[in-house]
Amino acid sequence: MRKTGLAVLSAAMCVGLAAGMLAGTEAKADEGVTLVFAQDLDTNEKANAVMNEILTEYTEKTGTQIQFESLPSADYRTWLMTQFSAGQGPDVYTGIIYDMTQDYQAGYLTNFIDIYEEESAYDPGKPWKETLPEYISEQMYISEDAVPGYPTATSVVRIFYNKDMLEAAGAEIPETWAEFMDTCQKLKDAGNIPFAFPNATIDDLSWLWFSNSICSQIDHEMVDTLDVSGNGYVELAEMCKGLDEGKIDFTDEKLTACFELMKEFSQYWTSDYNGLDQQTAIEMFARGEVAMVQAMSISLENIESIVGDSFEYGVMPVPVITTETNENAMGKSVILGGQPDIIFGMNKALEEDETKYAAALDFVQYMASPEVQARLAEEICRIPLATTVELPDRLAGFTITEEPLRMPWFTGVNEKWRNYFHRSGQEYLSDSITVEEFGETLNESYAEVIAEVEAENGWSADNNYGMTE
């Protein structure tokens, strides 16, 4: 892994932490401690209700008061950055790995590097880091000596399919891409709309999701080409280095083949896909108007409530591309979602207040406990990451069996790049540009965005893009 020279916790703080851990529940926060906790749940009434119940129970157990700042996703990051800029950031908050990495490097978050080596007070028996799947743990180490927090859950993306509709059309539940196309054709021949594919904006994620998985399955060797750190993942600095060295080319035949697969797939979508939003697509599936839709695990409850007993459905990952479809195929599906996207971090300023720091750590470990994670899985369909938590039967189809996303082709840079990819993708899918023109447009857009990223971070070949060998 690459090193950044970021400092770890002070020895004094580590001693205080260890003492608190050994004391167990007796060392939990003193009566009267108040922690500000922030999470972007404001528009989800049930999630907020469940969270508030958990927080109330925690206060009853420990005496620590939790001031819950629940904000809508659109405003969450803006609010957080405003608070931190004013020196008033929350004591504990959650975020995705990209944001938490940036916040750590900005000096807002405490380092969990030593905390990972200890047991959790609420999940004892092994070091805390060993309760995570290896591929998740790998992603949490943003360098050899820096960890921005602890991940508790993820949202796994699946294709929901109408079993009754498939059976009536004589179609099989596909496992490979070739079988997937055959299933779509049989559904279409039977007079059904095979797939509701929302593609109105970048928030309607199917274009990004499918493209990430397909490109990763066919151009999988790019990981070894770009991975400087050797951690098995391609990170932003490595993308910058790779582009500058001429190693990333969206007109390459492997990527062109991926885009052509998506074009072939598009014949099975609703005709208004470039104007269809994700919520409408999900509702179309739930009402039995289309055979399949792609959605996150957090949509399960909404789908269940609409479907009721009207038809039987199941879920499946993006089908595996085999050499039958493309000679370069890896032969494994690549996970969509499944990343550490609910990460609990602690305000670095807490390191100046040992009592409050101990209370915050106890709260984080409580929220990461098997008890709480199992409850969130059962009640609001969050997929827990800890290996010590079992999925409820109704979520069994969301068990992660695929390869992780090691090269985030279209989601790992920034919003501007996602917008470019989405808009030019709309043009390509609607036959306004050819696949060659699409690749050339992506090359131009990617070069522009990467140049801005390098300028923002002060990265160049001269300083090895901020990485050390």
Side-chain angles (χ1 to χ4, degrees):
M1 295 184 182
R2 55 192 169 89
K3 301 178 182 178
T4 61
L6 297 169
V8 298
L9 292 173
S10 68
M13 183 59 69
C14 292
V15 171
L17 170 62
M21 293 291 291
L22 290 172
T25 55
E26 293 181 3
K28 294 175 186 174
D30 295 337
E31 295 280 347
V33 173
T34 298
L35 298 174
V36 177
F37 168 52
Q39 194 166 39
D40 56 341
L41 291 174
D42 188 61
T43 57
N44 189 323
E45 292 183 6
K46 181 171 183 181
N48 270 291
V50 171
M51 186 62 66
N52 276 300
E53 288 175 7
I54 291 171
L55 299 181
T56 298
E57 292 167 7
Y58 179 74
T59 295
E60 292 172 352
K61 290 175 183 288
T62 65
T64 300
Q65 299 294 320
I66 306 296
Q67 179 183 325
F68 186 30
E69 300 287 351
S70 176
L71 297 102
S73 297
D75 302 327
Y76 183 60
R77 287 295 299 173
T78 300
W79 179 86
L80 274 176
M81 294 304 98
T82 300
Q83 294 295 306
F84 275 114
S85 295
Q88 299 173 345
D91 300 306
V92 175
Y93 69 100
T94 67
I96 62 175
I97 185 62
Y98 175 82
D99 290 335
M100 301 302 269
T101 298
Q102 298 298 310
D103 295 351
Y104 180 88
Q105 292 172 339
Y108 299 144
L109 291 170
T110 196
N111 193 347
F112 274 47
I113 187 73
D114 293 313
I115 300 172
Y116 265 40
E117 301 299 326
E118 304 291 337
E119 294 181 11
S120 165
Y122 298 94
D123 195 3
K126 61 178 71 175
W128 204 19
K129 68 178 180 181
E130 292 183 12
T131 63
L132 293 172
E134 184 176 356
Y135 82 94
I136 293 292
S137 181
E138 288 174 349
Q139 294 176 72
M140 290 309 302
Y141 283 80
I142 59 177
S143 77
E144 289 183 346
D145 54 8
V147 180
Y150 186 88
T152 62
T154 186
S155 295
V156 176
V157 178
R158 286 288 182 259
I159 297 171
F160 286 72
Y161 59 89
N162 184 319
K163 288 185 179 180
D164 296 353
M165 201 176 287
L166 265 65
E167 289 177 4
E172 300 291 332
I173 299 169
E175 294 184 2
T176 70
W177 189 264
E179 293 169 352
F180 184 43
M181 292 298 98
D182 181 67
T183 291
C184 287
Q185 186 61 52
K186 287 178 178 176
L187 286 163
K188 187 175 182 179
D189 291 344
N192 302 303
I193 299 174
F195 212 100
F197 195 99
N199 198 38
T201 72
I202 61 170
D203 294 325
D204 305 305
L205 294 163
S206 286
W207 173 240
L208 290 168
W209 284 335
F210 264 100
S211 297
N212 260 332
S213 182
I214 289 174
C215 291
S216 295
Q217 290 192 52
I218 291 178
D219 203 0
H220 54 93
E221 293 178 353
M222 186 59 71
V223 175
D224 290 337
T225 300
L226 301 181
D227 179 23
V228 174
S229 69
N231 68 353
Y233 295 85
V234 178
E235 291 144 347
L236 184 55
E238 293 166 332
M239 295 180 205
C240 294
K241 180 179 174 69
L243 181 68
D244 288 354
E245 294 176 350
K247 297 176 180 177
I248 300 175
D249 178 6
F250 292 97
T251 64
D252 179 84
E253 62 179 9
K254 291 181 182 179
L255 294 179
T256 298
C258 299
F259 303 145
E260 289 174 336
L261 286 181
M262 288 300 295
K263 186 66 172 291
E264 178 190 5
F265 178 29
S266 69
Q267 68 182 297
Y268 301 115
W269 306 345
T270 55
S271 59
D272 64 342
Y273 58 83
N274 275 342
L276 184 66
D277 67 86
Q278 191 173 48
Q279 185 58 38
T280 301
I282 290 172
E283 291 172 357
M284 289 179 69
F285 170 79
R287 292 193 298 263
E289 298 170 9
V290 297
M292 292 179 281
V293 73
Q294 193 176 43
M296 292 188 289
S297 50
I298 56 176
S299 299
L300 176 61
E301 188 170 8
N302 182 37
I303 291 173
E304 285 178 337
S305 67
I306 299 173
V307 171
D309 297 325
S310 59
F311 63 86
E312 188 177 358
Y313 65 89
V315 298
M316 64 182 182
V318 170
V320 177
I321 299 173
T322 65
T323 52
E324 176 184 3
T325 297
N326 187 286
E327 64 181 1
N328 298 301
M330 178 170 59
K332 298 178 183 178
S333 184
V334 172
I335 186 66
L336 302 171
Q339 305 302 304
D341 60 12
I342 300 181
I343 299 169
F344 279 75
M346 290 165 45
N347 194 325
K348 187 174 179 59
L350 293 175
E351 295 176 17
E352 304 301 319
D353 184 335
E354 188 173 332
T355 298
K356 201 168 185 180
Y357 179 97
L361 177 58
D362 186 83
F363 173 63
V364 169
Q365 293 187 330
Y366 178 79
M367 296 303 293
S369 68
E371 175 188 355
V372 170
Q373 290 309 302
R375 180 174 175 180
L376 292 173
E378 184 63 51
E379 297 193 36
I380 59 174
C381 299
R382 279 195 189 167
I383 307 301
L385 287 172
T387 56
T388 49
V389 182
E390 291 189 15
L391 281 177
D393 290 342
R394 62 196 282 259
L395 296 180
F398 295 92
T399 301
I400 297 173
T401 58
E402 308 98 294
E403 281 285 294
L405 180 63
R406 298 183 181 278
M407 168 64 181
W409 284 100
F410 310 111
T411 53
V413 180
N414 58 23
E415 184 174 331
K416 186 174 183 178
W417 168 238
R418 294 195 298 275
N419 269 312
Y420 275 142
F421 179 68
H422 175 257
R423 288 200 301 268
S424 55
Q426 285 185 320
E427 292 184 278
Y428 166 60
L429 292 169
S430 62
D431 292 322
S432 296
I433 57 176
T434 65
V435 69
E436 291 80 13
E437 291 170 330
F438 178 48
E440 291 168 359
T441 300
L442 292 182
N443 279 340
E444 293 172 4
S445 303
Y446 200 67
E448 175 189 330
V449 171
I450 290 297
E452 292 176 359
V453 169
E454 291 176 358
E456 290 169 2
N457 291 279
W459 291 344
S460 69
D462 292 338
N463 60 20
N464 198 30
Y465 304 90
M467 300 180 288
T468 55
E469 299 292 352

